[in-house]
Amino acid sequence: MKGVIAVLVLLLLPAVAGGAFAAPAVDPPAPTPEGAQLSARPGDRLTFTVASYLLGRNGDWVVSEIFLEHGTLRMNDPVITAVATVACDTPPGVYPVERTEPSRPDEPAGTVKGGDAWVTVKVADVDEAERRACPWKVAALPPDQPEERWPAGDSWPQSPWDVRTFQGGERVTLRGSDADLMYGDTLTSLGFTNRPVMHGAKAVVTAAVIRCDAEPGLYEVRWVGRDEVWARYRVARTDDAARRTCQDEAAKTATGKAAAWLLGAGTATLAAAGAVTWVLVRRRHNAFG
């Protein structure tokens, strides 16, 4: 009997090692083909997808006369996606959808620049009962999510909505470019223990430490002296043990800095005392020489 069990175990091992019982891998959504025609009903929310290597598309608008409001293409690694909802009063027909650059701050709100027709949407004809129920359908939709998900290996932040998650006490690196941050610019955030200053030659970088007592939630990073959000991050929820550990590490770091300062001050004092002693000895030698 033992021999039979051993044989069964050996037969099963390759299957387990090969992932026979592992969860199947989920393929990323395919980019929306150029010129494709999508089908929709009034009140439907549509998702539009482009390949993630088209980084210039991040932040572009997806616009059409049938949308309640334009969609915004956002990084959702491994693709870039936008969502838009078909208005309830849209008559049946085929409508073009365009990708276009967003309006500038100095342009009127909602300005849509001429873009290339990307895809079309065929809106179905619905009966009066479905059209009356459409506003309730739209109200039940989840709000559009502005947070972006960039590859973990990319420097942070890639955009103001590149939201990464950090732990209390964690030291994080912020990296900018000459186009947005300059050498010497100061950053501030309610979740930082310090006000980091950007520095560096080729890459403008700095480091910040997340406060141990920072409440979990979303935080903003701003330039000092400018009314502009440069980055956002999320502080993770931690248990009491992790928070105590963080406080202990912070205290240890502070103690180490104080000890280093005292050691430096003590060394300087001894050096000064030695210099005074040397001068006195020298004067005494000259007096009796």
Side-chain angles (χ1 to χ4, degrees):
M1 185 63 181
K2 291 182 178 179
V4 174
I5 294 175
V7 171
L8 288 174
V9 170
L10 290 174
L11 288 173
L12 288 172
L13 279 177
V16 175
F21 299 106
V26 178
D27 293 331
T32 305
E34 194 88 22
Q37 184 172 99
L38 309 180
S39 297
R41 308 177 76 82
D44 281 355
R45 173 167 287 180
L46 300 175
T47 300
F48 302 90
T49 306
V50 298
S52 60
Y53 57 79
L54 299 174
L55 295 180
R57 291 296 186 182
N58 195 67
D60 280 2
W61 288 357
V62 177
V63 298
S64 177
E65 61 179 294
I66 65 174
F67 295 157
L68 288 175
E69 59 182 27
H70 66 265
T72 301
L73 286 167
R74 303 184 186 279
M75 176 63 75
N76 189 22
D77 184 54
V79 292
I80 303 174
T81 60
V83 295
T85 303
V86 179
C88 291
D89 58 354
T90 303
V94 177
Y95 300 87
V97 176
E98 299 176 347
R99 288 182 307 207
T100 181
E101 295 180 0
S103 59
R104 299 191 307 270
D106 59 342
E107 294 175 330
T111 299
V112 177
K113 305 173 184 178
D116 298 328
W118 178 19
V119 297
T120 58
V121 176
K122 184 177 182 179
V123 180
D125 191 9
V126 297
D127 58 28
E128 191 59 30
E130 183 174 346
R131 201 170 291 278
R132 283 198 304 268
C134 183
W136 300 97
K137 175 182 175 181
V138 172
L141 292 172
D144 185 15
Q145 174 56 262
E147 295 184 19
E148 300 170 359
R149 188 175 73 243
W150 289 76
D154 287 3
S155 61
W156 176 71
Q158 295 291 324
S159 78
W161 279 106
D162 174 14
V163 179
R164 312 286 175 101
T165 300
F166 304 120
Q167 301 282 342
E170 185 174 352
R171 181 182 178 87
V172 298
T173 299
L174 299 94
R175 183 180 298 269
S177 69
D178 293 337
D180 48 23
L181 281 175
M182 299 297 291
Y183 183 94
D185 280 345
T186 303
L187 301 174
T188 182
S189 175
L190 293 177
F192 291 169
T193 62
N194 59 330
R195 280 194 170 190
V197 179
M198 303 301 286
H199 64 275
K202 295 182 179 179
V204 186
V205 298
T206 190
V209 178
I210 306 300
R211 286 176 24 224
C212 292
D213 60 349
E215 293 295 326
L218 189 66
Y219 288 79
E220 296 178 344
V221 180
R222 292 176 176 266
W223 280 319
V224 173
R226 303 191 202 181
D227 186 22
E228 183 176 348
V229 178
W230 181 62
R232 294 173 175 86
Y233 61 96
R234 190 174 297 281
V235 174
R237 185 178 299 277
T238 56
D239 55 27
D240 292 339
R243 182 163 294 193
R244 283 196 300 271
T245 302
C246 178
Q247 298 287 2
D248 292 344
E249 288 298 320
K252 186 188 300 182
T253 302
T255 302
K257 289 181 179 179
W261 182 87
L262 289 173
L263 179 61
T267 303
T269 301
L270 289 174
V276 171
T277 302
W278 182 85
V279 170
L280 292 176
V281 170
R282 184 68 177 173
R283 286 179 177 176
R284 182 180 180 83
H285 174 76
N286 291 337
F288 294 97

